[in-house]
PDB file of all heavy atoms in Angstrom:
ATOM      1  N   SER A 980     126.828-160.198-102.212  1.00  0.00           N
ATOM      2  CA  SER A 980     125.773-161.115-102.022  1.00  0.00           C
ATOM      3  C   SER A 980     125.733-162.090-103.168  1.00  0.00           C
ATOM      4  O   SER A 980     126.173-161.801-104.248  1.00  0.00           O
ATOM      5  CB  SER A 980     124.442-160.401-101.834  1.00  0.00           C
ATOM      6  OG  SER A 980     124.120-159.685-103.024  1.00  0.00           O
ATOM      7  N   CYS A 981     125.128-163.256-102.883  1.00  0.00           N
ATOM      8  CA  CYS A 981     125.124-164.257-103.927  1.00  0.00           C
ATOM      9  C   CYS A 981     123.703-164.975-103.762  1.00  0.00           C
ATOM     10  O   CYS A 981     123.221-165.295-102.628  1.00  0.00           O
ATOM     11  CB  CYS A 981     126.118-165.178-103.782  1.00  0.00           C
ATOM     12  SG  CYS A 981     126.168-166.561-105.078  1.00  0.00           S
ATOM     13  N   SER A 982     123.018-165.197-104.919  1.00  0.00           N
ATOM     14  CA  SER A 982     121.697-165.897-104.942  1.00  0.00           C
ATOM     15  C   SER A 982     121.836-167.246-105.363  1.00  0.00           C
ATOM     16  O   SER A 982     122.484-167.506-106.488  1.00  0.00           O
ATOM     17  CB  SER A 982     120.652-165.060-105.754  1.00  0.00           C
ATOM     18  OG  SER A 982     120.574-163.785-105.307  1.00  0.00           O
ATOM     19  N   CYS A 983     121.073-168.232-104.828  1.00  0.00           N
ATOM     20  CA  CYS A 983     121.184-169.596-105.313  1.00  0.00           C
ATOM     21  C   CYS A 983     119.857-169.895-105.886  1.00  0.00           C
ATOM     22  O   CYS A 983     118.828-169.769-105.140  1.00  0.00           O
ATOM     23  CB  CYS A 983     121.532-170.508-104.075  1.00  0.00           C
ATOM     24  SG  CYS A 983     121.793-172.244-104.712  1.00  0.00           S
ATOM     25  N   TYR A 984     119.800-170.364-107.134  1.00  0.00           N
ATOM     26  CA  TYR A 984     118.592-170.627-107.809  1.00  0.00           C
ATOM     27  C   TYR A 984     118.374-172.194-107.869  1.00  0.00           C
ATOM     28  O   TYR A 984     119.287-172.903-108.122  1.00  0.00           O
ATOM     29  CB  TYR A 984     118.528-170.068-109.149  1.00  0.00           C
ATOM     30  CG  TYR A 984     118.528-168.506-109.217  1.00  0.00           C
ATOM     31  CD1 TYR A 984     119.638-167.797-109.123  1.00  0.00           C
ATOM     32  CD2 TYR A 984     117.274-167.896-109.208  1.00  0.00           C
ATOM     33  CE1 TYR A 984     119.618-166.477-109.087  1.00  0.00           C
ATOM     34  CE2 TYR A 984     117.241-166.532-109.140  1.00  0.00           C
ATOM     35  CZ  TYR A 984     118.398-165.802-109.115  1.00  0.00           C
ATOM     36  OH  TYR A 984     118.371-164.489-109.159  1.00  0.00           O
ATOM     37  N   SER A 985     117.207-172.564-107.793  1.00  0.00           N
ATOM     38  CA  SER A 985     116.804-173.985-108.044  1.00  0.00           C
ATOM     39  C   SER A 985     116.417-174.089-109.473  1.00  0.00           C
ATOM     40  O   SER A 985     115.512-173.425-109.994  1.00  0.00           O
ATOM     41  CB  SER A 985     115.668-174.405-107.102  1.00  0.00           C
ATOM     42  OG  SER A 985     115.296-175.693-107.385  1.00  0.00           O
ATOM     43  N   VAL A 986     117.100-175.074-110.222  1.00  0.00           N
ATOM     44  CA  VAL A 986     116.940-175.204-111.651  1.00  0.00           C
ATOM     45  C   VAL A 986     116.531-176.576-112.038  1.00  0.00           C
ATOM     46  O   VAL A 986     117.116-177.495-111.493  1.00  0.00           O
ATOM     47  CB  VAL A 986     118.202-174.757-112.396  1.00  0.00           C
ATOM     48  CG1 VAL A 986     118.039-174.838-113.923  1.00  0.00           C
ATOM     49  CG2 VAL A 986     118.651-173.357-112.068  1.00  0.00           C
ATOM     50  N   LEU A1007     115.229-169.777-118.619  1.00  0.00           N
ATOM     51  CA  LEU A1007     116.213-169.020-117.952  1.00  0.00           C
ATOM     52  C   LEU A1007     117.403-168.690-118.708  1.00  0.00           C
ATOM     53  O   LEU A1007     118.040-169.674-119.258  1.00  0.00           O
ATOM     54  CB  LEU A1007     116.605-169.834-116.658  1.00  0.00           C
ATOM     55  CG  LEU A1007     117.601-169.049-115.712  1.00  0.00           C
ATOM     56  CD1 LEU A1007     116.675-167.821-115.111  1.00  0.00           C
ATOM     57  CD2 LEU A1007     117.995-169.919-114.551  1.00  0.00           C
ATOM     58  N   PRO A1008     117.735-167.495-119.013  1.00  0.00           N
ATOM     59  CA  PRO A1008     118.834-167.076-119.900  1.00  0.00           C
ATOM     60  C   PRO A1008     120.169-167.604-119.284  1.00  0.00           C
ATOM     61  O   PRO A1008     120.432-167.513-118.236  1.00  0.00           O
ATOM     62  CB  PRO A1008     118.805-165.617-119.923  1.00  0.00           C
ATOM     63  CG  PRO A1008     117.514-165.147-119.504  1.00  0.00           C
ATOM     64  CD  PRO A1008     117.094-166.251-118.610  1.00  0.00           C
ATOM     65  N   ILE A1009     120.848-168.309-120.235  1.00  0.00           N
ATOM     66  CA  ILE A1009     122.149-168.832-119.727  1.00  0.00           C
ATOM     67  C   ILE A1009     123.096-167.679-119.286  1.00  0.00           C
ATOM     68  O   ILE A1009     124.004-167.927-118.469  1.00  0.00           O
ATOM     69  CB  ILE A1009     122.832-169.598-120.953  1.00  0.00           C
ATOM     70  CG1 ILE A1009     124.046-170.468-120.239  1.00  0.00           C
ATOM     71  CG2 ILE A1009     123.389-168.752-121.975  1.00  0.00           C
ATOM     72  CD1 ILE A1009     123.599-171.585-119.359  1.00  0.00           C
ATOM     73  N   SER A1010     122.892-166.409-119.688  1.00  0.00           N
ATOM     74  CA  SER A1010     123.756-165.234-119.293  1.00  0.00           C
ATOM     75  C   SER A1010     123.635-165.112-117.914  1.00  0.00           C
ATOM     76  O   SER A1010     124.517-164.448-117.296  1.00  0.00           O
ATOM     77  CB  SER A1010     123.340-164.066-120.070  1.00  0.00           C
ATOM     78  OG  SER A1010     122.037-163.766-119.891  1.00  0.00           O
ATOM     79  N   ARG A1011     122.537-165.526-117.256  1.00  0.00           N
ATOM     80  CA  ARG A1011     122.494-165.343-115.732  1.00  0.00           C
ATOM     81  C   ARG A1011     123.425-166.069-115.018  1.00  0.00           C
ATOM     82  O   ARG A1011     123.687-165.815-113.869  1.00  0.00           O
ATOM     83  CB  ARG A1011     121.027-165.738-115.289  1.00  0.00           C
ATOM     84  CG  ARG A1011     119.890-164.927-115.763  1.00  0.00           C
ATOM     85  CD  ARG A1011     119.889-163.523-115.129  1.00  0.00           C
ATOM     86  NE  ARG A1011     119.778-163.618-113.630  1.00  0.00           N
ATOM     87  CZ  ARG A1011     118.623-163.740-113.054  1.00  0.00           C
ATOM     88  NH1 ARG A1011     117.458-163.855-113.714  1.00  0.00           N
ATOM     89  NH2 ARG A1011     118.519-163.875-111.700  1.00  0.00           N
ATOM     90  N   PHE A1012     124.100-167.070-115.686  1.00  0.00           N
ATOM     91  CA  PHE A1012     125.010-167.888-114.887  1.00  0.00           C
ATOM     92  C   PHE A1012     126.446-167.582-115.361  1.00  0.00           C
ATOM     93  O   PHE A1012     127.066-168.248-116.211  1.00  0.00           O
ATOM     94  CB  PHE A1012     124.738-169.328-115.097  1.00  0.00           C
ATOM     95  CG  PHE A1012     123.298-169.649-114.675  1.00  0.00           C
ATOM     96  CD1 PHE A1012     122.371-169.866-115.555  1.00  0.00           C
ATOM     97  CD2 PHE A1012     123.017-169.729-113.300  1.00  0.00           C
ATOM     98  CE1 PHE A1012     121.078-170.142-115.142  1.00  0.00           C
ATOM     99  CE2 PHE A1012     121.749-170.128-112.962  1.00  0.00           C
ATOM    100  CZ  PHE A1012     120.785-170.306-113.790  1.00  0.00           C
ATOM    101  N   SER A1013     126.971-166.488-114.854  1.00  0.00           N
ATOM    102  CA  SER A1013     128.220-165.877-115.406  1.00  0.00           C
ATOM    103  C   SER A1013     129.289-166.914-115.082  1.00  0.00           C
ATOM    104  O   SER A1013     130.375-166.846-115.778  1.00  0.00           O
ATOM    105  CB  SER A1013     128.540-164.545-114.815  1.00  0.00           C
ATOM    106  OG  SER A1013     128.637-164.609-113.490  1.00  0.00           O
ATOM    107  N   SER A1014     129.248-167.672-114.111  1.00  0.00           N
ATOM    108  CA  SER A1014     130.404-168.640-113.716  1.00  0.00           C
ATOM    109  C   SER A1014     130.234-170.003-114.320  1.00  0.00           C
ATOM    110  O   SER A1014     131.095-170.768-114.140  1.00  0.00           O
ATOM    111  CB  SER A1014     130.408-168.710-112.197  1.00  0.00           C
ATOM    112  OG  SER A1014     129.228-169.328-111.741  1.00  0.00           O
ATOM    113  N   PHE A1015     129.165-170.154-115.087  1.00  0.00           N
ATOM    114  CA  PHE A1015     129.000-171.462-115.717  1.00  0.00           C
ATOM    115  C   PHE A1015     129.652-171.607-117.046  1.00  0.00           C
ATOM    116  O   PHE A1015     129.286-170.876-117.986  1.00  0.00           O
ATOM    117  CB  PHE A1015     127.458-171.692-115.938  1.00  0.00           C
ATOM    118  CG  PHE A1015     127.115-173.106-116.325  1.00  0.00           C
ATOM    119  CD1 PHE A1015     127.258-174.172-115.412  1.00  0.00           C
ATOM    120  CD2 PHE A1015     126.617-173.347-117.532  1.00  0.00           C
ATOM    121  CE1 PHE A1015     126.930-175.461-115.803  1.00  0.00           C
ATOM    122  CE2 PHE A1015     126.279-174.720-117.910  1.00  0.00           C
ATOM    123  CZ  PHE A1015     126.432-175.750-117.050  1.00  0.00           C
ATOM    124  N   LEU A1026     113.478-172.142-114.396  1.00  0.00           N
ATOM    125  CA  LEU A1026     113.676-171.624-112.932  1.00  0.00           C
ATOM    126  C   LEU A1026     112.510-172.051-112.084  1.00  0.00           C
ATOM    127  O   LEU A1026     111.284-171.838-112.286  1.00  0.00           O
ATOM    128  CB  LEU A1026     113.637-170.004-113.073  1.00  0.00           C
ATOM    129  CG  LEU A1026     113.683-169.348-111.688  1.00  0.00           C
ATOM    130  CD1 LEU A1026     115.108-169.639-111.076  1.00  0.00           C
ATOM    131  CD2 LEU A1026     113.629-167.819-111.890  1.00  0.00           C
ATOM    132  N   LEU A1030     112.597-169.816-104.468  1.00  0.00           N
ATOM    133  CA  LEU A1030     114.046-169.597-104.444  1.00  0.00           C
ATOM    134  C   LEU A1030     114.633-170.067-103.143  1.00  0.00           C
ATOM    135  O   LEU A1030     115.846-170.137-103.070  1.00  0.00           O
ATOM    136  CB  LEU A1030     114.329-168.027-104.577  1.00  0.00           C
ATOM    137  CG  LEU A1030     113.860-167.535-105.961  1.00  0.00           C
ATOM    138  CD1 LEU A1030     114.243-165.978-106.050  1.00  0.00           C
ATOM    139  CD2 LEU A1030     114.509-168.251-107.122  1.00  0.00           C
ATOM    140  N   PHE A1035     117.388-179.535-106.265  1.00  0.00           N
ATOM    141  CA  PHE A1035     116.889-179.554-107.670  1.00  0.00           C
ATOM    142  C   PHE A1035     115.710-180.586-107.661  1.00  0.00           C
ATOM    143  O   PHE A1035     115.810-181.710-107.043  1.00  0.00           O
ATOM    144  CB  PHE A1035     117.808-179.817-108.697  1.00  0.00           C
ATOM    145  CG  PHE A1035     118.764-178.786-108.881  1.00  0.00           C
ATOM    146  CD1 PHE A1035     119.973-178.769-108.227  1.00  0.00           C
ATOM    147  CD2 PHE A1035     118.522-177.629-109.721  1.00  0.00           C
ATOM    148  CE1 PHE A1035     120.942-177.778-108.433  1.00  0.00           C
ATOM    149  CE2 PHE A1035     119.347-176.633-109.869  1.00  0.00           C
ATOM    150  CZ  PHE A1035     120.630-176.653-109.203  1.00  0.00           C
ATOM    151  N   LEU A1045     124.007-178.101-109.997  1.00  0.00           N
ATOM    152  CA  LEU A1045     123.843-176.924-109.044  1.00  0.00           C
ATOM    153  C   LEU A1045     124.553-175.796-109.717  1.00  0.00           C
ATOM    154  O   LEU A1045     125.697-175.802-110.017  1.00  0.00           O
ATOM    155  CB  LEU A1045     124.571-177.162-107.766  1.00  0.00           C
ATOM    156  CG  LEU A1045     124.571-175.906-106.818  1.00  0.00           C
ATOM    157  CD1 LEU A1045     123.115-175.603-106.437  1.00  0.00           C
ATOM    158  CD2 LEU A1045     125.371-176.152-105.574  1.00  0.00           C
ATOM    159  N   LEU A1046     123.754-174.768-110.100  1.00  0.00           N
ATOM    160  CA  LEU A1046     124.202-173.575-110.709  1.00  0.00           C
ATOM    161  C   LEU A1046     124.029-172.404-109.727  1.00  0.00           C
ATOM    162  O   LEU A1046     123.000-172.225-109.213  1.00  0.00           O
ATOM    163  CB  LEU A1046     123.520-173.239-112.029  1.00  0.00           C
ATOM    164  CG  LEU A1046     123.652-174.226-113.197  1.00  0.00           C
ATOM    165  CD1 LEU A1046     122.969-173.715-114.328  1.00  0.00           C
ATOM    166  CD2 LEU A1046     125.153-174.471-113.535  1.00  0.00           C
ATOM    167  N   VAL A1047     125.094-171.518-109.544  1.00  0.00           N
ATOM    168  CA  VAL A1047     124.955-170.473-108.738  1.00  0.00           C
ATOM    169  C   VAL A1047     125.056-169.142-109.533  1.00  0.00           C
ATOM    170  O   VAL A1047     125.921-168.952-110.240  1.00  0.00           O
ATOM    171  CB  VAL A1047     126.149-170.339-107.729  1.00  0.00           C
ATOM    172  CG1 VAL A1047     126.042-169.100-106.787  1.00  0.00           C
ATOM    173  CG2 VAL A1047     126.107-171.559-106.803  1.00  0.00           C
ATOM    174  N   ALA A1048     123.922-168.476-109.497  1.00  0.00           N
ATOM    175  CA  ALA A1048     123.811-167.201-110.231  1.00  0.00           C
ATOM    176  C   ALA A1048     124.592-166.096-109.562  1.00  0.00           C
ATOM    177  O   ALA A1048     124.163-165.843-108.349  1.00  0.00           O
ATOM    178  CB  ALA A1048     122.349-166.819-110.474  1.00  0.00           C
ATOM    179  N   SER A1049     125.525-165.584-110.146  1.00  0.00           N
ATOM    180  CA  SER A1049     126.280-164.575-109.390  1.00  0.00           C
ATOM    181  C   SER A1049     125.654-163.136-109.377  1.00  0.00           C
ATOM    182  O   SER A1049     125.564-162.562-110.395  1.00  0.00           O
ATOM    183  CB  SER A1049     127.687-164.474-110.048  1.00  0.00           C
ATOM    184  OG  SER A1049     128.486-163.401-109.446  1.00  0.00           O
ATOM    185  N   GLY A1050     125.266-162.750-108.156  1.00  0.00           N
ATOM    186  CA  GLY A1050     124.678-161.453-108.065  1.00  0.00           C
ATOM    187  C   GLY A1050     125.757-160.526-107.312  1.00  0.00           C
ATOM    188  O   GLY A1050     125.405-159.501-106.807  1.00  0.00           O
ATOM    189  N   GLU A1051     126.946-161.065-107.366  1.00  0.00           N
ATOM    190  CA  GLU A1051     128.000-160.422-106.542  1.00  0.00           C
ATOM    191  C   GLU A1051     128.547-159.252-107.349  1.00  0.00           C
ATOM    192  O   GLU A1051     128.676-159.179-108.575  1.00  0.00           O
ATOM    193  CB  GLU A1051     129.130-161.312-106.193  1.00  0.00           C
ATOM    194  CG  GLU A1051     128.669-162.440-105.217  1.00  0.00           C
ATOM    195  CD  GLU A1051     129.901-163.320-104.827  1.00  0.00           C
ATOM    196  OE1 GLU A1051     130.323-164.109-105.859  1.00  0.00           O
ATOM    197  OE2 GLU A1051     130.352-163.218-103.760  1.00  0.00           O
ATOM    198  N   ALA A1273     134.378-166.375-105.477  1.00  0.00           N
ATOM    199  CA  ALA A1273     133.330-167.023-106.186  1.00  0.00           C
ATOM    200  C   ALA A1273     133.703-168.337-106.815  1.00  0.00           C
ATOM    201  O   ALA A1273     132.824-169.212-107.118  1.00  0.00           O
ATOM    202  CB  ALA A1273     132.711-166.040-107.316  1.00  0.00           C
TER     203      ALA A1273
END
Side-chain angles (χ1 to χ4, degrees):
S980 61
C981 182
S982 302
C983 186
Y984 292 88
S985 176
V986 180
L1007 186 65
I1009 194 65
S1010 61
R1011 291 289 300 278
F1012 303 103
S1013 58
S1014 61
F1015 189 68
L1026 177 64
L1030 298 183
F1035 292 95
L1045 176 63
L1046 296 182
V1047 177
S1049 178
E1051 295 182 288

